[in-house]
């Protein structure tokens, strides 16, 4: 940070530079702008605008943008897993934890469903 510039001013300047890059079509900048809107760092928190930028970055093939989109879809697990899988295939490391949790829940629920249907739960 430049001496004499407040943290808030530095965050606003960072946002302006990233926004200009995003508007020029740079996918990483699009994802970063989405992250700033999603967290409210240097700009007013706005999930709708965050999602807009994540979608634009994903449309350009940015791996982490697919992961970020998946986080918005957690109430729709099938869609979230689909987006996490795309992110992982494109090289993002972020979705692996979420995919592991989803698969563990699926495996666990299948296990208990099978036990219940074929002989009940017996310990």
């Amino acid at each position: 940070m430049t001496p004499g510039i407040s943290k808030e001013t530095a965050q606003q300047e960072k946002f302006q530079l990233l926004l200009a890059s995003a508007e020029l079509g740079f996918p990483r900048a699009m994802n970063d702008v989405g992250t700033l809107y999603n967290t409210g760092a240097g700009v007013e928190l706005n999930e709708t605008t965050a999602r807009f930028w994540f979608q634009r970055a994903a449309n350009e093939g940015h791996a982490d943008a697919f992961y970020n989109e998946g986080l918005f879809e957690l109430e729709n697990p099938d869609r979230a897993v689909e987006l996490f899988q795309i992110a992982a295939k494109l090289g993002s490391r972020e979705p692996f934890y979420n995919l592991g949790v989803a698969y563990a829940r699926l495996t666990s629920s299948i296990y208990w469903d099978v036990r219940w249907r074929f002989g009940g739960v017996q310990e």
Side-chain angles (χ1 to χ4, degrees):
M1 187 163 66
T2 307
I5 294 180
S6 71
K7 183 177 179 180
E8 183 177 313
T9 300
Q11 284 182 330
Q12 290 170 349
E13 288 179 6
K14 175 184 175 180
F15 172 75
Q16 291 303 319
L17 291 170
L18 282 171
L19 182 60
S21 296
E23 289 172 343
L24 287 172
F26 291 95
R28 181 175 178 180
M30 293 174 191
N31 186 67
D32 290 348
V33 167
T35 299
L36 293 176
Y37 273 113
N38 196 39
T39 61
V43 66
E44 187 173 332
L45 183 80
N46 187 323
E47 288 185 359
T48 301
T49 304
R51 202 152 183 197
F52 167 80
W53 285 108
F54 291 144
Q55 288 171 347
R56 281 197 59 189
N59 288 342
E60 296 294 325
H62 193 276
D64 289 336
F66 281 100
Y67 168 74
N68 289 325
E69 268 294 291
L71 293 176
F72 280 102
E73 294 288 344
L74 292 176
E75 291 183 13
N76 180 356
D78 290 340
R79 178 68 178 144
V81 166
E82 177 184 354
L83 291 165
F84 292 154
Q85 288 173 330
I86 293 169
K89 287 177 184 176
L90 290 174
S92 176
R93 297 180 315 178
E94 299 295 327
F96 286 102
Y97 173 79
N98 300 76
L99 285 170
V101 169
Y103 292 138
R105 287 182 180 162
L106 175 64
T107 303
S108 176
S109 65
I110 290 172
Y111 170 79
W112 288 109
D113 185 54
V114 168
R115 285 194 64 187
W116 181 257
R117 289 175 190 257
F118 300 101
V121 179
Q122 300 171 357
E123 292 296 327

